[in-house]
């Protein structure tokens, strides 16, 4: 284990009640949040569920912000997502920020696997009636696969800078491979 990762684990031994999990689409944010929530008695707040309405219509900005403010008012939560429109609400109230900074190859493999499963089973997402489809996943300009390819490097550069400055005031955890994620989950 690297010295930095050991230090991150030591930081998290304190009282952690407000966590944000960010990372590229398909990096495993929701899975990690669910595991941590089950182990620590926290509830998961999926920003996607607060943002998306029926037929993939986004919530108006003020409504989205209101929903996020309402959900994060009390302690005991893990927020999942990267929405810049509500970062000023979520990040200052968090005591811990976890960044899943996984290699693009792993992210893409997971995203393709998840997308195919969701499209094949017609899984409803976030109680909205929305479903992923093969057409949207592989033949659309709004494809999550294309989005992940476009944003992975940009997110990595941006979050490296942002997390560096936040480390002075928050618990900041950067997990860079599958083994680090597994170790983190087993220790928390």
């Amino acid at each position: 284990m690297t010295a930095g990762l050991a230090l991150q684990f030591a930081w998290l031994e304190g009282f952690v009640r407000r966590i944000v999990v960010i990372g590229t689409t398909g990096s495993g944010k929701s899975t990690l949040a669910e595991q941590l929530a089950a182990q620590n008695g926290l509830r998961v707040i999926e920003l996607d569920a607060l943002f998306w309405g029926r037929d993939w219509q986004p919530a108006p900005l003020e409504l989205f912000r209101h929903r996020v403010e309402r959900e994060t008012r009390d302690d005991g939560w893990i927020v999942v997502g990267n929405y810049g429109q509500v970062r000023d609400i979520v990040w200052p109230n968090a005591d811990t920020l976890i960044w899943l900074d996984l290699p693009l190859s792993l992210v893409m493999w997971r995203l393709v696997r998840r997308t195919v499963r969701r499209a094949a089973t017609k899984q409803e997402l976030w109680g909205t009636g929305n479903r992923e489809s093969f057409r949207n996943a592989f033949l659309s300009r709004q494809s999550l696969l294309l989005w992940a390819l476009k944003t992975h490097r940009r997110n990595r550069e941006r979050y490296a800078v942002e997390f560096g400055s936040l480390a002075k005031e928050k618990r900041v955890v950067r997990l860079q491979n599958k083994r680090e994620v597994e170790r983190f989950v087993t220790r928390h």
Side-chain angles (χ1 to χ4, degrees):
M1 178 185 322
T2 66
L5 189 57
L7 181 58
Q8 290 168 355
F9 287 135
W11 281 354
L12 285 174
E13 289 173 2
F15 196 67
V16 177
R17 301 299 301 163
R18 297 175 311 276
I19 301 170
V20 176
V21 179
I22 64 166
T24 301
T25 299
S27 61
K29 298 180 300 289
S30 297
T31 300
L32 176 62
E34 292 291 341
Q35 291 170 327
L36 294 175
Q39 291 173 350
N40 296 287
L42 304 174
R43 64 188 171 87
V44 175
I45 302 168
E46 288 274 357
L47 292 182
D48 282 336
L50 302 178
F51 182 77
W52 293 110
R54 291 209 168 275
D55 300 320
W56 294 103
Q57 293 301 306
L61 181 58
E62 288 307 311
L63 177 58
F64 180 45
R65 290 178 61 82
H66 171 73
R67 289 172 175 170
V68 173
E69 285 173 345
R70 184 186 66 224
E71 291 295 321
T72 59
R73 195 170 290 142
D74 299 321
D75 280 352
W77 47 256
I78 301 176
V79 169
V80 178
N82 304 329
Y83 287 82
Q85 304 96 311
V86 294
R87 184 178 296 168
D88 65 313
I89 298 168
V90 177
W91 285 29
N93 293 319
D95 51 45
T96 305
L97 301 169
I98 301 172
W99 171 21
L100 289 176
D101 181 24
L102 302 178
L104 180 60
S105 58
L106 178 58
V107 168
M108 293 305 294
W109 165 246
R110 288 178 172 178
L111 187 56
V112 167
R113 189 176 61 194
R114 180 188 82 183
T115 301
V116 167
R117 178 181 41 80
R118 284 180 174 177
T121 62
K122 300 183 184 333
Q123 176 183 348
E124 182 180 344
L125 302 174
W126 318 296
T128 60
N130 295 330
R131 291 171 170 75
E132 291 186 26
S133 69
F134 289 108
R135 181 175 173 266
N136 286 343
F138 297 102
L139 304 173
S140 168
R141 288 186 181 167
Q142 285 76 39
S143 164
L144 282 178
L145 301 167
L146 187 57
W147 178 256
L149 284 171
K150 286 181 180 179
T151 61
H152 187 268
R153 179 184 291 170
R154 182 177 61 209
N155 285 344
R156 175 174 270 175
E157 292 167 357
R158 185 178 79 214
Y159 293 146
V161 171
E162 291 174 354
F163 267 46
S165 64
L166 288 168
K168 296 172 188 140
E169 58 192 74
K170 307 258 181 223
R171 291 179 188 102
V172 174
V173 179
R174 181 180 185 182
L175 303 172
Q176 296 183 280
N177 59 56
K178 190 176 174 183
R179 188 171 44 203
E180 286 183 0
V181 173
E182 290 167 355
R183 284 184 190 153
F184 183 81
V185 169
T186 60
R187 291 196 167 104
H188 296 92

